[in-house]
Amino acid sequence: MQPAAAALLALIPLRLLNAWLAGVADCDETYNYWEAVCLLAAPHPFRRPLQTWEYAPEFALRSWAYVLPYAAISRIVDNSFLAVRLCAVALPFALAEASLVKGMEKRFGPDAGWILLGLLASSAGHAAAAPALVPSATICALAAWSQGRWLKGDRRGAVFLAVLATLWPGWPFVAVLFIPLAVDVLLKDGLREALRLGVASGLFVLIPCAAFDAKAYSRATSPLWNVITYNAVGGGDELYGVAPWTYYAKNLGLNAGIALVLVLVMPITLLLRHLLARDPRRPASTVLTHAAPFVLWVGILLLRPHKEERFLFPAFPSLYIGAAASLDAGASALGALGAKFVAPRTTRRFLTFAALGAAALLGVSRIAALAVYYDHGQMTAWRAAAATAAKLGPGVTVCAGSEWHRFPGTLLLPSNARLSFVRSAFDGQLPRPYAYDADPMETAARDVKGFNGHNGGEANVYVDAAACDVAVDLRLDEGDPPLWVNDTRTWTQVHASPFLDSSRTPALARAFLVPGYSLQRAKFGEYVVHIPAEHFVRIY
């Protein structure tokens, strides 16, 4: 079996499993993308999704064209959150990875293809990106597809996918990822062909996206330009927290592990192969060209004070190309060096299996830690809240306090329920319900008052705890308890699931699930669901 065929058989079920188990890791995914999908796919007069300030026509920072295909698929699969995630997010991601493996196999040989497949299958970073409905994860998939076409010599296909990644998800900054591709096309095909490909692809993608956004916002506007102005010129992203450069170093280590080490030593492994096992079919310049997007993108990220783990997703395909080529080169060089004592093929296999084994141990341990510590408790609790709301009749108010940012999305709720917020320690700007109209496009174009561009929470809309029919929150041993925990005469707990208390758990134990070590040291709180006592008597 060839690596490309094995990639399809291995990565498709693996990514579907990731999507089945994963929680929603970031509130941006919920409120900027899943809620927009819900609005277009399942408008409802009561179960109204929530709008962020970025979608307010006054600011227009997000592209409605990006969520449109997901909304179309949502309607086909009866607006099932899980089905959309499986069919429209995780499956295309796996196909893009398989395309990358096929390109690696064609350009650098079967051994490099198998190595890349092993690294991708054990990647904690790709396991996190595969089920995520955020631009950075979509760009990761499109960048992998573009690299796969490029490695196979299909520069036209690679350029189109690069332009699609730049213009469709609404993150124009990622154009820097495709500078090496643009240079390659320019050198091999000439300026005229490069311009023709770029302009034709750009118009093909940009015109329908711009037309749909203009209709959705009911005015001519460019979310691409607006987001550049806000982030690059205005520096608005700093309002949401800043971090030192070590933040990305730590997260690359957690998400890429052995692959990061292989990329860092890549200049050495390529030099050793050049000196000891020269192979004209795999020149170092080609490896460096395909790995360069990783360096360019991380360099851009380090210049920005606001840092988030998901921002690294677009760099992963080129990182893993570099890592696979580095391991292939290092194993070949050391095999040639010890040829007098051991058959080169034996040495290559031993070193490859050892590196991939270490990558698998670290990757699986990290993926399992996230699933056991966070994802299971979060998603189980919200599904329990949705199931409880479905039993309560019409007009159910599901409330969140401090855990508003882990709400998976309105698609998860039954049609008789909607989310509201109870005041908590958070004092930033919260989303607000979209103004309802039977036509989703009319709803999108309406200006919901009270939003601002400086993350000020002065216009937040809260409900009193007494107005809640279902309440979801996180109970920890330290800190203020949820509003509805202590009043057992008014509120009854109907669900509790474990959720890691990271502040009381050692760093190593919470970073990796190590058998015999991590769970013995991990401290857990509880993700709890409460309902009023009179509801409990009625439905149980």
Side-chain angles (χ1 to χ4, degrees):
M1 182 181 293
Q2 295 300 307
L8 289 172
L9 294 176
L11 293 174
I12 289 177
L14 184 60
R15 297 309 172 216
L16 294 179
L17 179 63
N18 291 150
W20 185 282
L21 297 175
V24 175
D26 190 279
C27 60
D28 267 0
E29 180 179 355
T30 294
Y31 295 110
N32 276 330
Y33 305 107
W34 280 112
E35 295 299 88
V37 167
C38 184
L39 177 71
L40 295 182
H44 193 278
F46 182 78
R47 189 190 69 167
R48 288 188 288 166
L50 298 167
Q51 180 187 41
T52 64
W53 70 273
E54 292 100 322
Y55 279 96
E58 175 186 355
F59 301 100
L61 260 68
R62 303 298 177 197
S63 172
W64 284 100
Y66 170 57
V67 297
L68 178 61
Y70 301 102
I73 294 173
S74 182
R75 290 194 175 192
I76 294 171
V77 297
D78 198 26
N79 296 313
S80 164
F81 172 84
L82 181 59
V84 175
R85 204 180 216 195
L86 292 171
C87 300
V89 183
L91 179 59
F93 194 98
L95 295 176
E97 290 179 297
S99 174
L100 187 64
V101 171
K102 187 174 182 179
M104 192 76 177
E105 176 189 358
K106 183 174 179 64
R107 185 65 186 86
F108 296 109
D111 286 349
W114 284 113
I115 291 171
L116 178 59
L117 174 56
L119 292 174
L120 292 177
S122 61
S123 168
H126 273 221
L133 181 57
V134 289
S136 55
T138 304
I139 292 163
C140 178
L142 290 172
W145 228 313
S146 177
Q147 283 267 20
R149 303 307 304 180
W150 186 17
L151 286 165
K152 287 183 283 188
D154 178 13
R155 290 186 292 278
R156 290 185 178 182
V159 168
F160 175 76
L161 290 163
V163 171
L164 184 64
T166 302
L167 299 180
W168 172 49
W171 265 31
F173 323 102
V174 298
V176 70
L177 283 171
F178 306 108
I179 291 175
L181 171 62
V183 172
D184 189 50
V185 172
L186 185 64
L187 293 176
K188 292 179 179 177
D189 299 319
L191 178 60
R192 182 176 179 179
E193 178 66 7
L195 288 174
R196 189 184 70 82
L197 284 175
V199 171
S201 299
L203 292 176
F204 185 84
V205 175
L206 190 59
I207 289 175
C209 288
F212 189 78
D213 283 329
K215 181 174 176 60
Y217 285 115
S218 194
R219 65 186 178 93
T221 187
S222 172
L224 293 175
W225 176 251
N226 295 340
V227 77
I228 289 174
T229 303
Y230 180 78
N231 286 283
V233 179
D237 59 340
E238 297 178 25
L239 295 170
Y240 301 92
V242 299
W245 69 270
T246 52
Y247 177 88
Y248 283 138
K250 178 186 72 174
N251 278 283
L252 280 171
L254 290 172
N255 285 305
I258 297 299
L260 178 63
V261 175
L262 290 169
V263 166
L264 293 177
V265 301
M266 183 172 61
I268 298 174
T269 58
L270 293 178
L271 177 61
L272 287 175
R273 184 173 65 184
H274 177 74
L275 296 175
L276 300 171
R278 188 172 300 180
D279 186 347
R281 299 172 301 169
R282 294 176 284 183
S285 59
T286 302
V287 175
L288 294 172
T289 299
H290 285 274
F294 166 69
V295 178
L296 293 172
W297 183 243
V298 172
I300 292 293
L301 292 183
L302 290 174
L303 296 177
R304 302 303 305 167
H306 177 60
K307 298 174 175 63
E308 295 191 34
E309 184 176 31
R310 61 191 168 93
F311 292 172
L312 291 169
F313 291 167
F316 285 150
S318 51
L319 182 155
Y320 283 106
I321 288 175
S326 177
L327 178 54
D328 187 42
S332 297
L334 293 178
L337 183 63
K340 291 183 179 180
F341 309 100
V342 182
R345 186 67 177 173
T346 302
T347 302
R348 290 181 61 186
R349 286 185 172 179
F350 173 78
L351 293 173
T352 299
F353 290 153
L356 293 180
L361 287 174
L362 286 176
V364 170
S365 179
R366 175 63 179 170
I367 294 167
L370 295 177
V372 171
Y373 290 158
Y374 303 106
D375 295 341
H376 171 73
Q378 171 197 2
M379 295 304 291
T380 302
W382 281 107
R383 289 189 176 111
T388 303
K391 301 175 183 178
L392 294 177
V396 174
T397 300
V398 178
C399 291
S402 61
E403 287 303 292
W404 66 272
H405 60 291
R406 291 195 179 99
F407 174 56
T410 298
L411 279 180
L412 201 68
L413 296 178
S415 60
N416 66 319
R418 64 182 176 191
L419 183 72
S420 295
F421 300 119
V422 173
R423 189 179 294 275
S424 66
F426 177 77
D427 61 356
Q429 186 169 210
L430 289 170
R432 310 183 74 175
Y434 280 98
Y436 174 73
D437 192 287
D439 182 355
M441 302 305 290
E442 292 293 332
T443 303
R446 289 187 179 182
D447 191 7
V448 177
K449 302 297 182 183
F451 286 122
N452 60 77
H454 55 269
N455 196 30
E458 62 275 359
N460 287 342
V461 177
Y462 297 104
V463 300
D464 189 85
C468 301
D469 298 298
V470 181
V472 182
D473 219 320
L474 179 62
R475 178 169 56 206
L476 302 175
D477 288 343
E478 297 180 0
D480 296 331
L483 295 174
W484 29 74
V485 167
N486 292 330
D487 187 0
T488 54
R489 281 192 286 185
T490 303
W491 295 92
T492 300
Q493 180 177 303
V494 295
H495 174 84
S497 51
F499 192 88
L500 189 74
D501 187 345
S502 57
S503 65
R504 298 172 54 236
T505 301
L508 180 60
R510 68 174 183 263
F512 299 98
L513 191 63
V514 181
Y517 172 82
S518 298
L519 290 178
Q520 284 77 359
R521 290 161 178 78
K523 304 296 182 183
F524 287 89
E526 286 186 316
Y527 229 107
V528 292
V529 180
H530 285 78
I531 61 174
E534 63 268 22
H535 288 351
F536 182 82
V537 172
R538 179 161 56 89
I539 67 174
Y540 287 99

